[in-house]
Amino acid sequence: MELFHGPTLAFKDFAMQLIGQMFQTVLERRGERITIVGATSGDTGSAAIEAFRGLDNVDVCILYPHGRVSEVQRRQMTTPAEANVHALAVEGTFDDCQRHLKDMFADQAFRGEVRLAAVNSINWARVLAQVVYYWWASASLGGQTLSFTVPTGNFGDIYAGFIAKRMGLATDRLVIATNRNDILRAAVQGGRYEVGTVHPTISPSMDIQVSSNFERLLFDAMDRDGARVAALMNSLKQSGGFTIPEAAQARIRRHFDADSASEEETGDRIAATFADTGELVCPHTAVGLDVAETHLDIDVPMVALATAHPAKFPDAVEAATGIRPPLPKHLGNLYDRSERVTRVENDLAAIQSVIREKRAK
Ligand SMILES: *Cc1c(COP(=O)(O)O)cnc(C)c1O
């Protein structure tokens, strides 16, 4: 199920495009103006910029780690000409950007001054928007029972599939596919959720250790007992891990399978898919396809979610197939457009003053 035909070539456009318009409608009605600040390792930043560019009541500032995003990702953030779009290249890592963002939200004075707002992946409206395409898949295939394999990072996309199932969609298995950052596979297969270090992979949008939306599944699997879930989350904070209670493990496994693909398997799957079908797939999609292959049931069609366009990750695709996928037409001149970006020190006060200055213009 190709979900990457939106403006920034990743499935995140589905949710971002919707909430951009929702924000604008409500702000217009209230006569308010807000500043959206986000930190990105690539795809979320461009999807947010694309959703909010040119809107009257919103400034959008995206922090990304200088020199650590792909050229396509960077250009998607730095080439929009609208005055309300501000790309900030921070002299640090993605973790630094995320830390500064958290500190900004904790700074009450700053928060009020610029009317700070967020669009991160636990935003409930984003999850809801993603429920729709699970139903669309079912309707397209005549309403028969389906299984889904979903390349997973923050557990937002596949959690939307679980919501669809809870709403009554005829669904058999929901298969979590991870790259070598496989904390979710270990949690679902073995019951132990344990944070390690993030390994960079060729599917970078899934290079995540703590999957924010997984907490929501736990809440459901533990009889919606908020206090017990909070205790597990606390132990995650204190000791870097927790064991999922047996009964909750069994409930999770009633709906979910989980598996991971190594870097080599991912590359091989891109090559094999091209050889078998003539289709170029992005490395995230390839992780999903590789895992889907080992979870097939003869009686139930498997829908694999394709989360990004191959041209967004041209190096990995070229390495596997020898073919460099071209950008689609609407991004065809991305490499020729002029860039606008503000370099900023890896320092909270410096970032805050740039944001103040940008939104004043
Ligand atoms: C964000 C992203 C994912 C992971 O989605 P989650 O909702 O975080 O699980 C997978 N593939 C691509 C291309 C992405 O951009």
Side-chain angles (χ1 to χ4, degrees), residues 266-330:
T266 306
D268 288 351
R269 182 59 58 183
I270 296 174
T273 303
F274 182 62
D276 292 347
T277 69
E279 295 269 353
L280 295 173
V281 295
C282 93
H284 309 78
T285 303
V287 167
L289 289 170
D290 198 66
V291 168
E293 194 77 26
T294 58
H295 288 264
L296 293 178
D297 175 337
I298 193 84
D299 296 319
V300 185
M302 173 69 79
V303 176
L305 273 61
T307 51
H309 192 289
K312 207 162 185 183
F313 302 93
D315 296 337
V317 175
E318 186 174 20
T321 62
I323 295 170
R324 199 162 181 86
L327 284 167
K329 264 208 193 85
H330 69 272

Side-chain angles (χ1 to χ4, degrees), residues 155 162 165 172-174 176 184 187-189 191 193 214-222 232 242 244-258:
F155 205 74
F162 178 65
K165 188 174 186 186
D172 184 20
R173 308 303 296 165
L174 291 163
I176 299 163
L184 283 172
V188 171
Q189 287 183 352
Y193 190 98
F214 191 66
E215 185 176 345
R216 290 192 159 127
L217 179 66
L218 281 177
F219 181 62
D220 238 55
M222 294 171 71
L232 291 189
F242 59 82
I244 305 171
E246 291 283 346
Q249 284 186 41
R251 284 193 184 170
I252 290 171
R253 287 189 207 115
R254 208 182 293 157
H255 304 283
F256 291 89
D257 291 320

Side-chain angles (χ1 to χ4, degrees), residues 10-12 43 151-157 205-206 208 284 307-308 313:
F11 80 92
K12 292 184 174 75
D43 292 336
T152 301
N154 238 332
F155 205 74
D157 205 5
S205 305
M206 292 154 60
I208 283 176
H284 309 78
T307 51
F313 302 93

Side-chain angles (χ1 to χ4, degrees), residues 62-91:
I62 298 297
L63 315 178
Y64 72 86
H66 177 68
R68 292 171 199 250
V69 298
S70 81
E71 185 176 2
V72 172
Q73 289 174 324
R74 187 192 75 233
R75 286 181 169 276
Q76 283 182 327
M77 295 189 277
T78 58
T79 58
E82 288 82 355
N84 73 328
V85 173
H86 316 288
L88 309 186
V90 177
E91 310 273 2

Side-chain angles (χ1 to χ4, degrees), residues 104-117:
M104 249 180 265
F105 274 93
D107 180 344
Q108 291 295 340
F110 181 76
R111 196 172 164 163
E113 180 193 339
V114 305
R115 308 218 35 126
L116 206 55

